[in-house]
Amino acid sequence: MQPIRTFNVSPSLPEKLEPLRKLAYNLHWDWNVETKDLFRRLDRDLWESSRHNPVLMLGTISQARLQEVSEDEGFLAQVERAALQLEDYLRERTWYAKHRDPDKQSQDCYAYFSAEFGLTDCLPIYSGGLGVLAGDHLKSASDRGLPLVGVGLLYQEGYFSQYLNADGWQQERYPINDFYNMPLHLERDANGNELRIAVDYPGRQVYARVWRVQVGTVPLYMLDTNIEPNNPYDHDITDELYGGDLDMRMHQEIMLGIGGVKMLEALGLKPTVYHMNEGHSAFLTLERIRHLMENDGLSFHEAKEVVNASSIFTTHTPVPAGFDMFPADKIMYYLGHYAEKLHLSREEFLALGRENTGDLESPFSMATLAIKMASFVNGVSKLHGDVSQRLFKNLWPALPAGEVPITAITNGVHARSCVAKFTQELYDRYLGPKWSTTPAHNPLWDRVSSIPDDELWRAQERCRSELVVFVRDRLEKYLRDRGGSLSELSQAQEVLDPSVLTIGFARRFATYKRATLFMRDLDRIKRILFDLHSDRLKGGMLSPKKRMVQFVIAGKAHPKDIPGKEMIRHIVHFIREQKCEKNIVFIPDYDINVARMMVSGCDVWLNTPRRPREASGTSGMKAAMNGVLNLSILDGWWNEADYVRTGWPIGQGEMYDDPDYQDEVEANALYDLLEKEVVPLFYDRDEEGIPRRWVAKMKQAIRLNCPQFNTARMVSDYATYGYFPASDRYYQTIENHYQPAKELAHWKQHLFDRWYDIKIETVDISAPADIQVNEDIAVKAQIHLAGLKPEDVEVQVYKGPMDADGNIVDGVPMTMEYQGSGANGRSIYTANIAYSSSGLQGLSLRILPQHPYLSSPFQPGLQVIWANS
Ligand SMILES: *Cc1c(COP(=O)(O)O)cnc(C)c1O
């Protein structure tokens, strides 16, 4: 039945409870213990059944209950405290105010684009790690007081929820999100109408309206195309996260990138930085260039300099297959009009997304587009930064991989969102309330040792018990929803043991994460699970208390990932066939809430990816912040953590060619660690029942990992190395009606025309082949600059040890001095060098472009010129 009219009906609250409305609509409640408690206290059942959604709660709670609490002095006092805390929070964000040039503070605006955001349970618009990271980025940007705004899509169905059929095969369900009962605001224009934008698609325009979720001080704006007069297909552009085929993907990415830029403009925002979190949003660069060309009369190259100065790209993928690619014809079909507007030929346009611009067959890569358009590019852990340098090295063909201008900012997690309530209160008490944002090397972290062992251990035992109760209830509810038998239901209440060493494994079921590695040797894992070690049973001495082990497992496979689903089924079958229903539990429908319970309630966090496939990994960081010990392959973040003091490394970072052999070796290493280190340490108790050495390790995990793998640190790094410099570059390029951008574009053109005529003609080296350490060597070069000026280039000596293949490795560049031009018109450069270590050492010369406005001398498309041997 079609309505003739619709109403947006909002909850009616007694006056004394009015502050609840404001509290409900700012996601600050998600990471504020007091406010969360308040909503739980209002109606515990409704809080759970609404998926922790205070807006839905306020809309459906009985008037009688509202009346009751509005006369409850204790409750009202808590409302007041929570309201004051929110007010204080919104006022007191000072990191940015302290660290940023005061003149720039009123102008700076950083737009953060992401295809998904994982903020809280009741906003299921994320699929996994990438989304949760983006959500934590916004939360910490708010904590830090950054002038940041999020840009995304508001999915009607979001990501699927998971259930398993009787055979353990993953099934997907797509619950509909009811935006009107979520903590969302519909943005309106000055006349009170829905704010709308229009985006060009082939043969039509698609309209979108704008929703905002308020994350502390940071607004996240999201586009919604499920409106009239869009056609039914276009309604679905913002329907499902990563759903549909390649064409739908294209529609979504156009909406995110191009629609996102139009939306910011409609909102009256003028970002100084555009941060692309993954390549999905990279079309934003095309729309910005178009806008600058049409509105400010810039040429393509001039506009590109402005965009380049102010764009940041974060890559999250360690394998080429992970990058978003579109066939050239699709790009031209959907975006051919941009080629026209940007005055580019088909091949010039496509070249923006191609590594090898001469390869007319190659598809269009969103990551390549993002890199070519950005002046700051980073991977998400140190190891992933190195891997990315190698992955994208072909964009800088003459550059050693180590100098490819891609850096690393290691991911983090938002402390107040992932540490259990009880543990947060413990930290607040012993470390002071600033622990969640205090950097490493601050004396605050020394106070971790002052937390009494028994208190920390009791907190851990309490979290484990809460996890056990949570798992049982969740399983029972899940079984009841699926029509489970009475005996099944009662079995659910018997899984796990709150006193047993609990190992957690939760992540996307992609095959490289090897969720089933720990089951590789059936006998051995059963011995570990049930403590069937022959040596301890020798002589008929059964240990007084069995040293058992239990596993809690969760995770979704992508709907199209058949091998991933097979791994889930394998686990379910294993549990049944080996009768370990009590020791191994698979929790269906992994989400932020399940993650929070697991990373606080487990004792050990297991991760077994194939190195270097885990770009960063963040669930292990969440665990570490709770004092949970990591047991993991040296990959992603764990590779740079203090893995000896805060957990255990599996292997030593080896890489293997034979995956089966690798599985064998690493499974055995895992079993060895469990048998010889983890289990004995956990069960080594003193007379008070406390495992002192385990607790000491927990304290190290808290002290060392909490400040480091924290989005407070991460967002400060993005601000310091990314946002501040990029904003400054932006201000610089747009001065005087874009004069510097124009100058830079013209200079580059001039440089390009002459670059490949440059020749290093002679190099004189004043030393024999056999020299001593620290012996002075004079180097003199004559260079034909092909019409360029000495200030247009930097000439460098490049020296370093030789490897077995005859290449200089880890070379160090040193600037040569210009000495004027010689009789033949050649430019003369000199330098004095010496080698500080012995062995076979190499020397070379190279030439780089140089200009005060260049963000880096390594420009894609302009090769570094090396001296020929
Ligand atoms: C933290 C988190 C992730 C990411 O965990 P990884 O260790 O990176 O796999 C995925 N999903 C949810 C729900 C999370 O909370």
Side-chain angles (χ1 to χ4, degrees), residues 439-491:
H441 308 300
N442 184 297
L444 176 145
W445 295 106
D446 299 335
R447 285 183 234 146
V448 172
S449 60
S450 72
I451 304 176
D453 285 0
D454 60 329
E455 281 197 51
L456 185 57
W457 184 242
R458 256 190 278 122
Q460 175 62 22
E461 298 224 279
R462 175 166 171 173
C463 289
R464 192 186 318 111
S465 301
E466 282 178 1
L467 172 66
V468 170
V469 171
F470 172 82
V471 170
R472 289 174 178 171
D473 289 351
R474 190 162 168 119
L475 273 187
E476 188 184 323
K477 174 168 186 315
Y478 172 83
L479 288 168
R480 188 173 296 128
D481 290 350
R482 321 237 94 68
S485 67
L486 270 179
S487 76
E488 275 180 313
L489 292 183
S490 66
Q491 268 170 20

Side-chain angles (χ1 to χ4, degrees), residues 126 128-129 132 506-507 513 590-592 595 614 617-620 622:
Y126 62 92
V132 175
R507 42 190 42 87
K513 300 204 183 214
Y590 183 47
D591 63 9
I592 286 183
E614 185 90 314
T618 51
S619 58
K622 299 172 199 166

